[in-house]
Amino acid sequence: MVVDTSAVMPEARIEGRRVLDGLHADLGAALARRLGRPVQMLALPRKRIAQALQSGEADLVCDYQSAWLPGPFAWSRAFIPDQTVLVTAAATPAPAGLAAVAGQPVGTVLGYAYPEVAAALGSGLVRDDAPDAVANLRKLELGRVPHVVTGRRLLDYQRRVGSFKLALHPPLVVAEVLGQCGLSPRSGVTLKALNAAIQGMVAEGELGRILGKYR
């Protein structure tokens, strides 16, 4: 199971190419147990994930969406909830809506797609890329950008553990997201088996318990 090297907690704690903790590690362990297989977690740069899946170097990537990763992959049912939010410091006037930030720098993560933001702002989207989501929030704290786009789960976690303390306006919800798992065409795991494992996780409350660890 591959994880993007730019992932940060609560998504993943990564050292080198090893995934040591976080949501991805927990999902991988749960799915592997239900599929009756061992699991190896592997951190790869975002640009290498599609290649690894196509070649069979990796079986699976999770908490993605098919729109983010074009390729000959089979996609599971959507099951991992999150929100994409626009975050503005309390010291900055609150935008009335997403359209209000057109032409202003918006903190983003290098290589990440923000289809809803791009569709709403078009050429008015002025990206200011950071290497990962924590660095993105740090730019907001330092006043280098007036707004950032991030995930609600990550934002709430970083605030809960005290890593991000900046006073904010209520986050503006840009999109409701349901993450999927993408399956390599060379994997020995079938999409039917993967979806059955996911259904078991959801129905038996295991997914809720995993997500609850990081709230």
Side-chain angles (χ1 to χ4, degrees), residues 36 39 49 56 62 66 76-77 85 93 129-130 155 175 178 183 192:
V39 63
I49 288 176
C62 286
S66 54
S76 76
R77 55 169 287 187
V85 293
D129 283 340
L155 173 66
L178 279 174
L183 187 63
K192 182 179 179 180

Side-chain angles (χ1 to χ4, degrees), residues 9-165:
M9 287 296 288
E11 311 307 319
R13 182 164 64 89
I14 294 171
E15 289 184 6
R17 296 181 69 182
R18 295 190 303 150
V19 181
L20 303 179
D21 194 11
L23 175 64
H24 287 282
D26 291 348
L27 285 173
L31 288 172
R33 185 173 61 255
R34 290 177 179 274
L35 291 165
R37 294 169 176 264
V39 63
Q40 178 183 0
M41 306 296 299
L42 179 64
L44 290 177
R46 175 168 288 250
K47 290 183 178 180
R48 282 202 55 207
I49 288 176
Q51 177 186 355
L53 290 169
Q54 287 179 3
S55 68
E57 178 187 357
D59 289 280
L60 195 64
V61 63
C62 286
D63 206 16
Y64 260 61
Q65 289 187 315
S66 54
W68 303 345
L69 192 69
F73 314 122
W75 287 92
S76 76
R77 55 169 287 187
F79 72 108
I80 308 170
D82 200 4
Q83 291 178 326
T84 301
V85 293
L86 179 78
V87 179
T88 302
T92 301
L98 189 55
V101 305
Q104 301 179 40
V106 176
T108 48
V109 175
L110 183 66
Y112 278 37
Y114 303 91
E116 296 85 4
V117 181
L121 299 183
S123 61
L125 173 58
V126 182
R127 293 182 62 135
D128 192 316
D129 283 340
D132 59 54
V134 169
N136 195 24
L137 292 175
R138 181 65 175 152
K139 288 193 306 182
L140 188 67
E141 284 187 305
L142 296 173
R144 293 178 180 170
V145 291
H147 320 278
V148 302
V149 181
T150 192
R152 169 84 74 170
R153 183 170 59 228
L154 182 140
L155 173 66
D156 289 350
Y157 177 87
Q158 292 294 324
R159 296 180 81 175
R160 181 170 66 80
V161 301
S163 297
F164 181 69
K165 300 178 180 179

